[in-house]
Amino acid sequence: MLRVGDELITLIDPDAPASEAYRTLRTNILMRNFDRDMKVINIISTTAQEGKSTCVLNLAMVYAQLQKKVLVIDLDLRMPTIHKKLKLKNKKGISDIISHQAEFEEVVLQPYENVDVITAGTKIPFASEFIQSNALKEFIEERKKEYDLILLDCPPVGLVTDGIVAASYCDGTILVCASNRNDRKELLRVKDQLEQTQVNVIGIVMTMMPVQRKYYNSYGYRYSDTQKKTTQKKKKNSIISSITKKSDKKK
Ligand SMILES: Nc1ncnc2c1ncn2[C@@H]1O[C@H](COP(=O)(O)OP(=O)(O)OP(=O)(O)O)[C@@H](O)[C@H]1O
Ligand SMILES: [Mg+2]
């Protein structure tokens, strides 16, 4: 289990099983590049607090560790958190760029090598229109020339449709799903919604699955050599099970 403050696990403990799981997620995305360049990916979930933003940041980190240039954009304009997790200021961000109140160069931040971040910026009352705007689409398109990967952090699709709208200009969408948080009915409703809107879901990331504590200490990272073989597989799956869906559906 990740604890508050451990969210950038891939940075603070690259050997942790959770970090390994994020690297597996990275590999799976890279392997999906066969018929379409997976350059712009948005991360959604059905309900709030399922681990989207944490997934965005760790995925960015593991890509950066391969010397790939990553841009993270906080598109959760209603309740942005990327700046909080990275301890950045959110004075100006994507909303300011798109509404011509600021230039990209003055807004973009680089908290880590190869990881650029655009925070949400000034609060706007018309977030849905903003997400649908051609100006935002064109901005992202333009940035594709400079970055190997652009990750869009979106709000939960069960609450607002921003994530589904944003998916229409992404190469792929990852659905983050926290263990025991969703009821079946709600998940099926979102599944239908994703199918109807032809969102290219490239995978599902399960988070917050119960960890068998008898095998780990409180961080769940360290284990003895004798336990290693039997528990490794279980541990990987227990933190994050990466890209599992085989949807080859195209937009
Ligand atoms: N894989 C994980 N395992 C355990 N806890 C996690 C995991 N990922 C995130 N968390 C924790 O869950 C909480 C919510 O995470 P996060 O902010 O990433 O979710 P979110 O889906 O972006 O939330 P919101 O919908 O509010 O934007 C945080 O306290 C975070 O530390
Ligand atoms: Mg979030």
Side-chain angles (χ1 to χ4, degrees), residues 49 51-54 76 79 81-82 85 153-154:
Q49 293 284 293
K52 293 179 295 301
S53 305
T54 306
D76 192 345
M79 299 201 40
T81 57
I82 291 292
K85 291 188 193 298
D153 189 23
C154 293

Side-chain angles (χ1 to χ4, degrees), residues 75-78 126-133 136-137 155 161-163 165-166 169:
L75 283 189
D76 192 345
L77 299 186
R78 295 169 172 92
F126 34 83
S128 298
E129 289 83 345
F130 173 86
I131 299 286
Q132 287 174 38
S133 70
L136 178 61
K137 267 182 242 174
T161 55
D162 297 5
V165 174
Y169 44 82

